[in-house]
Amino acid sequence: TISIFIGLATWHALKEVVTGVAPLNHTSVEIAVLFLVFYCILQIGLLKLTDNMLMLKAVGVIAGHMAGFAAIDVFDTFQQEAELQVTWRLLAECVAFAGMMLLMFAVGGDMRGSYRPFEQSRPTSEEELHETMEKHEEWIEVANEVEDDALT
């Protein structure tokens, strides 16, 4: 429950910081692009945290909630714009964003499936092999949970 609150507050703070640096009109396209960039950076950040399991899980839980609220924010913006005037452009933007999300999740899933933890260095002992595989499996689990949170 606290992670949900932190995720929500952090997403809105991030959105306001971006708005302060690069003034946005809060249109659906701008919020959608912000979500897509945030999600890509998030997945790369999770990969970099594989050596620290505690940080990986903590950041993964909070970032998953942030991704979920970011996606809700995008579709909320679409809905607010639809209340003003439904246009073919708005419908096309909504469909394009949903397609981009699905494509991004598919590419992310393929990347997680093809990533090999031993490309950097080979484990020298059975214990090191076990630890490396455990970290890899934990990273995949956390990354999948973040994706699930963004989809819901």
Side-chain angles (χ1 to χ4, degrees), residues 134-152:
E134 189 176 292
K135 288 178 181 180
H136 179 68
E137 290 168 7
E138 188 66 36
W139 167 68
I140 288 178
E141 182 180 324
V142 169
N144 287 337
E145 285 178 21
V146 168
E147 187 175 284
D148 291 344
D149 285 347
L151 280 170
T152 56

Side-chain angles (χ1 to χ4, degrees), residues 88-109:
W88 287 106
R89 183 187 66 84
L90 182 61
L91 178 63
E93 289 173 2
C94 190
V95 170
F97 175 70
M100 289 292 292
M101 277 183 72
L102 293 175
L103 178 66
M104 187 174 56
F105 294 152
V107 169

Side-chain angles (χ1 to χ4, degrees), residues 11-152:
W11 163 250
H12 283 288
L14 175 68
K15 189 171 75 170
E16 291 303 315
V17 166
V18 170
T19 302
V21 173
L24 301 176
N25 295 325
H26 290 274
T27 64
S28 54
V29 173
E30 291 171 341
I31 301 298
V33 168
L34 181 60
F35 168 79
L36 295 172
V37 169
F38 163 72
Y39 187 81
C40 291
I41 291 170
L42 168 66
Q43 289 295 337
I44 293 167
L46 290 177
L47 177 60
K48 298 294 183 188
L49 288 173
T50 53
D51 287 335
N52 188 339
M53 288 299 185
L54 184 60
M55 282 296 291
L56 176 68
K57 285 188 175 205
V59 169
V61 168
I62 292 170
H65 293 310
M66 285 176 69
F69 286 116
I72 289 169
D73 206 6
V74 172
F75 285 105
D76 177 55
T77 307
F78 281 128
Q79 185 176 358
Q80 288 176 12
E81 288 180 7
E83 288 174 359
L84 297 175
Q85 179 181 7
V86 178
T87 63
W88 287 106
R89 183 187 66 84
L90 182 61
L91 178 63
E93 289 173 2
C94 190
V95 170
F97 175 70
M100 289 292 292
M101 277 183 72
L102 293 175
L103 178 66
M104 187 174 56
F105 294 152
V107 169
D110 286 346
M111 289 175 67
R112 283 191 297 275
S114 65
Y115 176 75
R116 301 291 176 250
F118 304 123
E119 289 178 3
Q120 311 299 0
S121 64
R122 294 265 178 214
T124 56
S125 67
E126 188 70 30
E127 183 178 306
E128 193 175 304
L129 172 67
H130 178 69
E131 182 180 325
T132 303
M133 289 307 297
E134 189 176 292
K135 288 178 181 180
H136 179 68
E137 290 168 7
E138 188 66 36
W139 167 68
I140 288 178
E141 182 180 324
V142 169
N144 287 337
E145 285 178 21
V146 168
E147 187 175 284
D148 291 344
D149 285 347
L151 280 170
T152 56

